[in-house]
Amino acid sequence: MGKSSKDKRDSYYRLAKEQGWRARSAFKLLQLNSQFNLFADATRVVDLCAAPGSWSQVLSRTLPPTSTIVSLDLQPMTPLPGVITLQADITHPSTLPLLLQHLGNEPADLVVSDGAPDVTGLHDLDEYIQSQLLLAALNLATCVLKPGGGFVAKIFRGRDVAVVFAQLRCLFDRVTCAKPRSSRGSSIEAFVVCEGYSPPTGFKPSLEAPLGLGTKFPESGRGVSAGPNGRDKEEEHLVDGVREAELRETEGGEDGDHDDAQEARYIVPFIACGDLSEFDSDATYALPEVDEFGQKWKSKDPIQPPTAPPYKTALEMRRQLGGGGPPKS
Ligand SMILES: C[S@@+](CC[C@H](N)C(=O)[O-])C[C@H]1O[C@@H](n2cnc3c(N)ncnc32)[C@H](O)[C@@H]1O
């Protein structure tokens, strides 16, 4: 396949190269921000699962220059100006102290996570691993966020996504499921946008007991700030840690084989974001004839080839076996 063929089929891939973003994912964060104004007043931001770094680029280009941006990933990341880049596993207990150290033990305004596992194609497994990454990101977020802070994370809209929404709703005033225009419609990927971090009184963030599992929040000790529906939080009841008034229990599972009475589910608003004038990520577009300088348009190379892609070993092994390098494009 020619280089320009991918440019035609994926306008966000082409635009990312032309605008200097390390990955097309940059447009997802830009479109989420234009819908939710995520960066208003944010000067201390954590970018989890950040490699190759396009979300960190968006943060460093958008936030005030004195901001603290801490980005981490399993993979090494090529440094970015104004960004602290760390190599760490968000599921590992040693990551929290590292993060806090680089935040100078001050709370963060916003935690974003675009974490994704290497997809196996086995949908249940992929969804499970994705949900574990989301929970790991959320656990870290609860340990570093300031009250009122925000959390944005990639989610796969699988069968049990409403259970995850219920857990999130327990910790934030507003939870929305958002699909940016640059995220392919054919993909089950979406983003949870959680605003107004306000854990129930008595909730102690801890990696040992993630999400306060097993914690009974005292009825009497709850905060009294107005809840999202204008109710006092004191009036809300917690069921398995979820605000009861906001729950939508489902009767019988899809296949009726598990006890749904134990499961708290919550239906969140779903918002498609990005202007209709922007590219549709599932459509193919004609390539421009000239570039921004009026010169004949030419396909560009990616800004930042992966530093240590997981498939590097496979390519090396193939080369050693005489199979040649990656296919020429
Ligand atoms: C879709 S990419 C992120 C793209 C990034 N937001 C950007 O704009 O360049 C998903 C990233 O999740 C990272 N990841 C997966 N599991 C992780 C883990 N346990 N800890 C840290 N990073 C992880 C992968 O290494 C990969 O770089």
Side-chain angles (χ1 to χ4, degrees):
M1 187 204 330
K3 262 205 296 190
S4 56
S5 165
K6 183 156 184 200
D7 288 323
K8 248 193 230 174
R9 283 185 298 107
D10 189 345
S11 301
Y12 287 103
Y13 168 76
R14 171 173 70 78
L15 278 189
K17 294 186 295 173
E18 291 173 3
Q19 294 180 9
W21 303 113
R22 290 183 178 183
R24 67 189 295 293
S25 322
F27 295 102
K28 298 177 192 172
L29 187 58
L30 288 166
Q31 290 168 351
L32 288 168
N33 184 47
S34 64
Q35 179 72 42
F36 293 94
N37 202 14
L38 300 168
F39 306 151
D41 305 326
T43 56
R44 306 176 57 75
V45 180
V46 174
D47 182 8
L48 300 173
C49 305
S54 76
W55 280 27
S56 298
Q57 283 182 292
V58 170
L59 294 169
S60 76
R61 287 189 198 180
T62 317
L63 300 184
T66 50
S67 302
T68 304
I69 303 165
V70 183
S71 302
L72 63 88
D73 198 283
L74 270 183
Q75 305 293 334
M77 254 173 86
T78 305
L80 275 168
V83 178
I84 301 167
T85 49
L86 306 170
Q87 189 173 1
D89 181 348
I90 63 162
T91 65
H92 198 280
S94 61
T95 299
L96 177 61
L98 185 71
L99 195 53
L100 287 170
Q101 180 201 331
H102 286 278
L103 284 169
N105 288 311
E106 293 287 325
D109 303 313
L110 175 69
V111 174
V112 295
S113 172
D114 190 22
D118 287 333
V119 174
T120 64
L122 302 170
H123 298 311
D124 285 354
L125 180 63
D126 291 337
E127 264 172 53
Y128 174 75
I129 302 174
Q130 176 64 32
S131 67
Q132 293 308 301
L133 274 185
L134 171 61
L135 284 181
L138 178 61
N139 287 331
L140 282 177
T142 59
C143 296
V144 302
L145 270 183
K146 70 169 193 192
F151 174 66
V152 175
K154 194 204 289 283
I155 192 167
F156 283 178
R157 285 170 302 148
R159 202 178 62 161
D160 291 325
V161 73
V163 178
V164 180
F165 292 151
Q167 288 172 316
L168 291 166
R169 178 59 191 83
C170 178
L171 297 165
F172 292 89
D173 286 343
R174 288 176 303 288
V175 177
T176 308
C177 182
K179 179 84 174 168
R181 216 166 146 69
S182 49
S183 172
R184 290 188 186 82
S186 51
S187 143
I188 59 168
E189 168 192 270
F191 293 86
V192 275
V193 178
C194 307
E195 297 164 284
Y197 179 54
S198 71
T201 307
F203 173 82
K204 286 199 180 55
S206 151
L207 294 186
E208 280 79 44
L211 297 185
L213 282 180
T215 308
K216 295 268 179 253
F217 300 112
E219 283 293 315
S220 55
R222 229 165 285 143
V224 291
S225 58
N229 301 329
R231 263 194 317 272
D232 278 356
K233 282 182 188 166
E234 248 178 3
E235 291 170 19
E236 296 178 350
H237 293 269
L238 296 179
V239 175
D240 290 344
V242 177
R243 285 162 189 148
E244 186 182 37
E246 300 293 338
L247 294 182
R248 307 285 181 272
E249 295 283 350
T250 55
E251 285 183 26
E254 237 167 58
D255 36 16
D257 61 357
H258 59 292
D259 185 6
D260 273 292
Q262 297 300 315
E263 283 181 8
R265 288 167 183 259
Y266 179 63
I267 313 296
V268 300
F270 181 85
I271 293 187
C273 46
D275 195 283
L276 280 181
S277 63
E278 291 180 269
F279 289 109
D280 171 351
S281 50
D282 288 297
T284 295
Y285 292 87
L287 294 172
E289 300 206 336
V290 288
D291 64 18
E292 68 271 36
F293 307 110
Q295 305 293 315
K296 187 173 181 314
W297 182 87
K298 269 206 265 161
S299 178
K300 287 196 164 60
D301 286 328
I303 297 299
Q304 181 69 53
T307 319
Y311 48 83
K312 192 173 168 194
T313 315
L315 289 180
E316 274 162 12
M317 283 166 69
R318 192 167 78 174
R319 235 176 259 127
Q320 277 164 16
L321 292 169
K328 295 269 178 295
S329 51

